[in-house]
Amino acid sequence: MTMPQRRTRPLYRRRRFDLRATAMFFALLATALVAAGFAVRALAGAAQRRPVWVTILLCVAVAALLAHRRRRRLSAARIARRTGEALHRATNTALDALDAPPPAPAPVPAAGARADDAPPVYDFDALSPEEFEEATAALCVRDGCARVEVVGGAGDLGADVLALAPDGRRIVIQCKRYSDDNKVGSQDLQRFGGTCYTVHEADVALVVTTSEFTAPAEEYAAQCGIVCVPREDLLAWSEGRAPAPWETDTTGPRTPDREVCVPEA
């Protein structure tokens, strides 16, 4: 009696190491890495030369990724339609970027020009009396005066700002920060006229106000050689539309025989 022979499973044979296949694999991997490097380099150069096309490619890639993620829920027709809309928007964006004019170059300042040559702009109505004196002094500095001082306060004897004009004349300024309905009267001019020449030794005496002057005040100022700077003249001076007030004074330097005004009785 013969016994049936039981089939046995063939034993798993370990795959032998193949040097040629291993070398071929690493050679292909190195080739793929080199190709990827060249591709990245080419894309970087294209991005610098044609940034618009990079934008288009990114839009296409994003659209393709969205389509891939939603292909199980959306039909092929909807995917194609949305992809087409994304491409259409990207194309319009690229065309708009190409049609847009290049940005204008920044203006080059002229030789010798300074950034602070532009006249300062002041809202005189928003300034306090002390700030108004500081602003007036700043205008004097802007227009070339030297030794500018703000001396207004108790015991100033009518002088708020002292300065030397570019031609060397001594400027004495009284600042009147008044509202529109409060004009500078002759009494104000008389008090200033009694000290601007005799005490402060002014060559040019100015009264600067944010309001106006009364007619008697203007007459008294004309007699004493005081330069009145009302609101409109102040704004024109501040905005650079008019010369400095001391440039309009034609009386010249103070001399011993010049009339000295005293307050009227």
Side-chain angles (χ1 to χ4, degrees):
M1 180 177 180
T2 60
M3 299 291 296
Q5 295 182 354
R6 186 174 59 180
R7 294 183 178 182
T8 59
R9 293 182 179 180
L11 297 176
Y12 175 76
R13 294 183 179 181
R14 187 174 183 180
R15 190 173 182 178
R16 298 177 58 184
F17 176 75
D18 192 343
L19 180 61
R20 176 182 293 181
T22 303
M24 183 64 68
F25 171 75
F26 283 106
L28 292 176
L29 180 61
T31 302
L33 292 177
V34 171
F38 279 112
V40 171
R41 184 176 180 181
L43 289 176
Q48 294 179 352
R49 296 190 302 270
R50 295 290 188 273
V52 175
W53 292 110
V54 175
T55 303
I56 295 176
L57 292 176
L58 289 176
C59 293
V60 172
V62 171
L65 179 61
L66 293 176
H68 177 72
R69 294 181 60 182
R70 298 183 180 181
R71 63 182 180 180
R72 294 184 180 182
R73 293 179 296 176
L74 300 177
S75 62
R78 294 182 62 185
I79 294 175
R81 179 171 57 84
R82 293 190 177 185
T83 304
E85 292 176 355
L87 290 175
H88 180 69
R89 289 193 297 269
T91 304
N92 290 337
T93 302
L95 293 176
D96 293 340
L98 291 175
D99 293 338
V108 180
R114 299 178 305 169
D116 57 351
D117 286 340
V121 179
Y122 295 104
D123 184 5
F124 294 107
D125 294 330
L127 300 180
S128 65
E130 293 77 13
E131 292 171 340
F132 180 49
E133 296 173 3
E134 295 285 349
T136 303
L139 291 175
C140 294
V141 173
R142 183 201 70 184
D143 289 347
C145 290
R147 296 171 59 181
V148 180
E149 299 179 77
V150 179
V151 295
D156 58 13
L157 297 177
D160 294 322
V161 178
L162 303 177
L164 288 181
D167 58 5
R169 291 181 295 169
R170 180 173 175 83
I171 302 173
V172 179
I173 305 176
Q174 186 178 75
C175 302
K176 293 295 186 183
R177 170 63 180 85
Y178 285 175
S179 58
D180 295 339
D181 57 351
N182 185 15
K183 294 184 178 182
V184 180
S186 60
Q187 293 294 328
D188 297 320
L189 269 294
Q190 290 176 32
R191 284 190 291 269
F192 181 58
T195 59
C196 61
Y197 296 118
T198 58
V199 177
H200 301 292
E201 299 181 344
D203 294 319
V204 182
L206 305 176
V207 178
V208 181
T209 181
T210 55
S211 181
E212 303 293 335
F213 294 87
T214 63
E218 292 179 346
E219 293 176 1
Y220 181 85
Q223 294 175 3
C224 298
I226 299 174
V227 180
C228 294
V229 184
R231 180 183 182 85
E232 291 300 324
D233 294 348
L234 172 62
L235 293 177
W237 176 31
S238 173
E239 296 169 2
R241 296 183 285 107
W246 55 84
E247 296 180 6
T248 62
D249 177 64
T250 58
T251 57
R254 187 176 63 88
T255 57
D257 58 347
R258 181 172 178 174
E259 178 184 2
V260 177
C261 294
V262 295
E264 298 177 356

